[in-house]
Amino acid sequence: MAFTPLNALNAFLEVARRRSFAAAAKELGVSTSALSQSVRQLEARLGVTLLTRTTRSVALTEPGRRLMEGAGPAVDQALAALKVAAVEPGEVTGQVKLTVPFISLSHVVTPVLARYLARYPRVEVELRVEDHMVDIVAEGLDAGIRLSESLERDMVQVRLSEGFRFVVVGSPDYFKRRGVPQTPRDLLNHDCLCIRSGTTGSLYQWELERGSKSWRVPVRGPLVTSNQTAMVELAEAGAGLMYAFEPDVAARVKQGSLRVVLESYAALGDGLFLYFPSRSRVSPAFRAFVDVAREMAAERSGGPSGRGTRGRQA
């Protein structure tokens, strides 16, 4: 891998974002040793250490973080410009990089992406499904999807869904064996399928509310997982109670394999939002994605396009 400052900078950014020389080398189509040499040469030229390396991990130093934050957006913009230069006038091309939570996939992300990719076939989308909070600026992502209460105030927010409930569900067999909880406090005496936060590492406390009162219940049980599919299947099998995004379990509740309890305490979420930095320069590919997302959100809500947008317009 021949050394030039720009090649080395791009190599460093890829490693920094992926926190892995092997993954970055695969993405760039070079050997791991060549990539490592390129980054070392960049560090030597700058006279600073950009990355700390162990046998198991790669982490940014403070100079590395500053370089990533300062140069990353400009390099991404330059690479996108190279792709745009080769296309027909008016044709949308480029790459869109997103981070989304599991609960958004089937109800929001999949329908939007299906329409977007059909309309703009020369765009590439990189989709990261992860339930922990991500610094989209530091990791070179265009946008993320999260619940509104999780978002920073300086982010542009585009509503993608109406509000929905989080409910407690279990199987008829479980309730036959263990009884039905009547109050949030009763959950402390039940087997609950627990969720570990990918952001804090702590077990998630189930949030319930009724009128002006709210509860955060430190539930415990036989299983801790972040995999929603496994949790739903185990709840159906009677292994314990589950705290669920209601649209994810609606079909199973309708067919009777799961039952909602503590319904009068169900917490209402404000909805899912697309978010991205207000200071970012929006590429044509990402602008087109935002337009499709708004279009489909308006169709679901029955309102005009753009309804429910917070912050500055993209």
Side-chain angles (χ1 to χ4, degrees), residues 34-83:
L35 184 62
S36 180
Q37 181 182 5
S38 183
V39 173
R40 282 198 300 270
Q41 288 174 317
L42 179 62
E43 290 176 322
R45 174 166 291 200
L46 296 176
V48 297
T49 300
L50 300 173
L51 300 166
T52 56
R53 309 157 175 86
T54 69
T55 55
R56 294 187 177 183
S57 66
V58 176
L60 286 166
T61 63
E62 182 57 26
R65 183 192 63 78
R66 292 197 302 267
L67 180 60
M68 182 178 180
E69 292 181 353
V75 171
D76 290 342
Q77 186 178 352
L79 292 174
L82 290 174
K83 292 183 178 180

Side-chain angles (χ1 to χ4, degrees), residues 76-250:
D76 290 342
Q77 186 178 352
L79 292 174
L82 290 174
K83 292 183 178 180
V84 170
V87 302
E88 296 295 326
E91 185 177 18
V92 176
T93 187
Q95 187 177 57
V96 174
K97 297 182 179 181
L98 304 170
T99 171
V100 306
F102 182 88
I103 63 171
S104 70
L105 279 179
S106 60
H107 306 286
V108 172
V109 176
T110 300
V112 170
L113 281 181
R115 181 178 296 186
Y116 176 66
L117 292 172
R119 188 174 295 176
Y120 304 106
R122 295 200 60 181
V123 172
E124 298 175 0
V125 175
E126 181 178 324
L127 185 67
R128 291 170 38 176
V129 182
E130 46 204 350
D131 285 329
H132 59 275
M133 292 302 296
V134 174
D135 185 338
I136 60 175
V137 176
E139 300 201 22
L141 302 173
D142 291 294
I145 293 176
R146 289 293 181 268
L147 298 170
S148 64
E149 55 263 32
S150 304
L151 303 183
E152 298 176 10
R153 293 185 179 275
D154 64 346
M155 291 286 174
V156 177
Q157 301 179 28
V158 179
R159 178 179 286 279
L160 300 181
S161 77
E162 298 301 314
F164 45 73
R165 300 193 307 172
F166 288 93
V167 295
V168 178
V169 298
S171 72
D173 178 63
Y174 176 88
F175 294 127
K176 184 177 180 180
R177 288 186 292 109
R178 298 295 310 277
V180 177
Q182 302 297 321
T183 69
R185 187 176 181 82
D186 291 345
L187 293 172
L188 297 174
N189 298 316
H190 279 265
D191 292 332
C192 297
L193 305 178
C194 301
I195 308 164
R196 188 174 300 282
S197 169
T199 303
T200 66
S202 60
L203 291 181
Y204 177 71
Q205 297 184 10
W206 291 7
E207 299 179 54
L208 297 101
E209 58 189 38
R210 189 175 189 177
S212 60
K213 296 187 65 176
S214 61
W215 294 260
R216 294 177 62 89
V217 185
V219 298
R220 293 294 183 270
L223 177 77
V224 177
T225 183
S226 60
N227 187 290
Q228 292 291 109
T229 301
M231 196 175 295
V232 171
E233 292 178 356
L234 285 162
E236 280 190 303
L241 301 181
M242 175 185 177
Y243 187 77
F245 172 54
E246 189 171 29
D248 272 351
V249 295

